């Protein structure tokens, strides 16, 4: 049963049809296992822009309310899981849109990190910055060989907010997490496995999804309500921190992004991307 | 020098003789080492009911005030350290008794996790749920082969409270602790050793107690007051959290346990135990 | 370019010339790398007394404000990195001086642990107590073989304050950190490497400094402001805790140090040191 989020939204009601970005994710539920696979499909690199973030939120909410047995996050792109935040949202931003953008990112994290269903990421490509945030917000990670993952914000002249650190620290020892954050380190698949940033390696996307399904299957004999409450209690302090500081977190981001030096850096980075694209 | 807590209580005074459960633990002090061995002996499985918890509290307080060199927690049962909370206390509970029950469990944890003397668990049998809580509240764990240990609450449809998580997190990396809690995972002795949930394996109960004694002996050249203050400062945030939330923690437990679905689940579980016993 | 802090201070202005202890550290900036090496040189064992602490503060501030590429902390002594707090500051202390002493120690930790430049310790000798605090406040540690490092306060009858624990916990897993603190455990170079208390071993001081430089070089492509803000955000909770509790922390220390039992213990310890020196 493959259905696009758009179809789902149509069924849910007109009040959510405002999102024309619905095509940027698909949700496929496996009839046998009851596990939903949420696929990001925004070419070329699953850059997290406002529309993709809104659709991710809606898809996560949908999976949550449909009482799926679990959620597997993956990408339709064969070499990129997600390239992270779409820099075009941050460079010379529209005042209203950038607020909606950051608020949507907060929404996605709160929904995914706090999801009551078991979550796993089938990381079938590179996963820098926001891509790593999404992956580490899941409970389990299976990654394909020869890709990289990490919070490389400092390499881009950006500061990962506290809640990026929360997800990172939920899987990595503190010493390794801090150093990687400061360095903006990208881990190869092998390095990520060694430090615990990912849990398993798979050779194909299908195998990755199978391994994610097996992890979610490990909860088969567990009471779902008790599991959900246990997970949420474990993550409560992290979630509460952002809930309490959403406005300040937004203002901090806006202040930082609007610094001339940051704008200049983003501009140069975009230039370099364009040159790469031409060559 | 083997003396039952009952004898001790008699000597201490009539004001503590109200506890008719005193026979459920024994305290044996090794004359050479000055280390007290606290043995749980409530057949058939050291289920933590109100009486056993009260006696544990009294025995811990006694060891604390007698300025023993250390405390080793173990079981008189050859295959079960403690089966955890006695489900009969939670199924169709008496209103007053269940409050006393949960409050006593809080008391035991505060006394054991916050104990000023060095503590170690000689885990000579299975140690699920509350049994694992007691073991992880000690500073060191030696376990016999071919048993299991873990916080398996979600398997029983129950949510381990925050302070169970505190003890668990004091020994396990966060990533492993969260997953194990969500899965209600029981670790074999070997698995427990590998992740750090236990510190050593011993082949017999005697050897386990010897190894616990050796750990406690590692503090021989340490100033006891400085040690106690250091340990309590390290554990202060965890202890303070429960101290601050004792009433809410009790109410939360009562609300949860009295849910019809939870009562139904406990009833089914008790049925299955009875059937097992008959076969 | 080798220049003593004193020379630097002269250049900065007369308002900082009050410190006659300036000769107790040197700051050498490598012209090629732009990395500053801060050397403690207070014979015989780099005991942290008021003057050394004040000079450390000034040197760290200097390196910070000179926008050095990084800071490497090391010792001029061939066998001792730093022996920790100078016990003479705590034994029969002068009322005013001991307050300045402890406040200066707080200053050094806040400046070093919160430093915006990359920091590394070239541990070229034993590093107990306060020496270990300095080393673990850096972001990276390279140590020479056959020395020892650890927070051995409980062995001396002293309680390491919370912020010593913060630095320790920033590099060690909780289970290992707590046990080591309670035991006052000194780790050999090999043991320290195994648990992560140090990051690398080097055979000579020069090699240690090279390895520290290589670590600092790993930030070459990183935006310095983004790096500094990321590090400070990561360490903010620890730093804030001491900032909020500076006065209480000082009073707690004074109360503890002035206990007759503690004074007696320090006296006996000083006696034993004198006897050792004679033999």
């Amino acid at each position: 049963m493959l259905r696009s989020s758009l179809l789902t939204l149509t069924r849910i009601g007109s009040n959510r049809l405002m999102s024309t970005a619905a095509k940027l994710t698909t949700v496929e539920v496996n009839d046998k296992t009851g596990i939903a696979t949420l696929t990001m499909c925004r070419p070329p690199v699953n850059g997290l822009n406002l529309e993709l973030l809104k659709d991710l939120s809606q898809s996560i909410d949908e999976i949550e309310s449909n009482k799926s047995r679990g959620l597997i996050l993956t990408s339709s792109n064969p070499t990129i899981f997600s390239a992270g935040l779409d820099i075009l949202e941050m460079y010379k931003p529209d005042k209203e849109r950038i607020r909606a953008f950051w608020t949507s990112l907060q929404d996605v994290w709160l929904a995914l990190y706090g999801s009551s269903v078991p979550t796993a990421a089938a990381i079938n490509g590179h996963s820098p910055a926001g891509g790593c945030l999404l992956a580490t917000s899941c409970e389990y990670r299976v990654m394909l060989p020869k890709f990289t993952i990490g919070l490389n914000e400092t390499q881009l002249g950006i500061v990962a907010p506290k809640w990026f650190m929360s997800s990172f620290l939920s899987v990595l020892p503190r010493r390794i997490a801090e150093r990687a954050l400061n360095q903006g380190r990208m881990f190869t698949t092998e390095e990520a496995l060694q430090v615990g940033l990912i849990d398993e390696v798979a050779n194909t996307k299908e195998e990755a999804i199978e391994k994610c399904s097996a992890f979610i299957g490990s909860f088969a004999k567990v009471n779902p309500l008790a599991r959900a409450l246990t997970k949420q209690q474990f993550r409560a302090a992290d979630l509460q921190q952002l809930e309490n500081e959403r406005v300040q977190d937004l203002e901090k981001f806006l202040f930082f992004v609007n610094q001339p030096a940051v704008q200049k850096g983003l501009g140069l980075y975009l230039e370099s991307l364009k040159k790469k694209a031409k060559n």
Side-chain angles (χ1 to χ4, degrees), chain A:
Chain A
M1 171 175 66
L2 175 65
R3 53 198 157 76
S4 80
S5 288
L6 184 59
L7 293 176
T8 309
L9 290 174
T10 313
R11 282 188 289 138
I12 288 171
S14 59
N15 57 328
R16 289 179 69 189
L17 266 176
M18 58 178 66
S19 169
T20 56
K23 287 172 197 159
L24 299 179
T25 62
T26 59
V27 174
E28 184 182 359
V29 178
N30 184 307
D31 284 332
K32 283 189 191 167
T33 63
I35 296 170
T37 298
L38 167 49
T39 303
M40 296 178 276
C41 35
R42 181 181 172 233
V45 296
N46 280 328
L48 298 167
N49 72 343
L50 176 58
E51 284 73 25
L52 176 51
L53 288 169
K54 278 194 168 173
D55 197 24
L56 274 170
S57 267
Q58 290 171 346
S59 295
I60 295 167
D61 289 352
E62 181 194 328
I63 290 166
E64 190 88 20
S65 56
N66 282 357
K67 309 205 172 181
S68 294
R69 286 278 306 283
L71 181 163
I72 297 171
L73 183 65
T74 192
S75 161
S76 65
N77 184 309
T79 60
I80 293 173
F81 179 71
S82 163
L85 301 186
D86 188 335
I87 287 178
L88 289 173
E89 294 283 14
M90 295 184 272
Y91 184 59
K92 297 185 181 172
D94 173 80
K95 277 189 181 179
E96 286 309 306
R97 186 175 165 96
I98 195 171
R99 288 181 165 267
F101 163 72
W102 193 257
T103 303
S104 294
L105 181 64
Q106 293 177 335
D107 285 341
V108 167
W109 183 73
L110 290 168
L112 187 60
Y113 190 66
S115 168
S116 68
V117 304
T119 52
I123 308 164
N124 57 325
H126 294 297
S127 191
C132 179
L133 173 71
L134 294 179
T136 53
S137 299
C138 295
E139 298 167 44
Y140 202 76
R141 279 150 296 283
V142 182
M143 188 164 163
L144 268 58
K146 299 186 181 171
F147 292 118
T148 57
I149 183 169
L151 291 176
N152 62 334
E153 275 76 359
T154 58
Q155 300 263 4
L156 312 174
I158 300 174
V159 178
K162 262 195 267 185
W163 38 292
F164 282 53
M165 294 187 181
S166 297
S167 279
F168 214 45
L169 277 169
S170 76
V171 294
L172 286 181
R174 220 186 114 135
R175 185 173 61 103
I176 292 172
E178 181 182 10
R179 196 168 295 159
L181 272 166
N182 288 346
Q183 292 175 326
R185 177 176 173 191
M186 292 298 293
F187 296 80
T188 63
T189 300
E190 276 183 9
E191 291 167 342
L193 183 67
Q194 206 197 338
V195 296
L197 182 50
I198 62 165
D199 298 289
E200 284 193 84
V201 177
N203 287 310
T204 63
K205 182 178 175 180
E206 289 65 40
E207 192 189 332
I209 287 177
E210 267 170 38
K211 289 187 170 189
C212 287
S213 298
F215 167 72
I216 291 170
S218 75
F219 297 106
K221 293 189 180 174
V222 168
N223 180 297
L225 178 62
R227 202 203 87 91
L229 292 172
T230 297
K231 175 182 172 183
Q232 283 164 355
Q233 183 173 258
F234 201 91
R235 299 187 166 195
D238 290 342
L239 292 164
Q240 201 59 53
Q241 187 168 55
L242 179 58
E243 290 279 15
N244 291 344
E245 296 175 2
R246 284 193 78 149
V247 178
Q248 298 94 308
D249 178 69
L250 170 60
E251 296 303 333
K252 202 173 169 184
F253 167 70
L254 294 177
F255 177 82
F256 185 77
V257 137
N258 286 312
Q259 295 299 307
V262 173
Q263 282 298 311
K264 193 180 160 189
L266 293 174
L268 291 170
Y269 184 67
L270 284 170
E271 277 305 315
S272 74
L273 288 183
K274 278 183 200 168
K275 278 181 193 162
K276 265 191 195 171
K278 279 182 190 168
N279 295 338

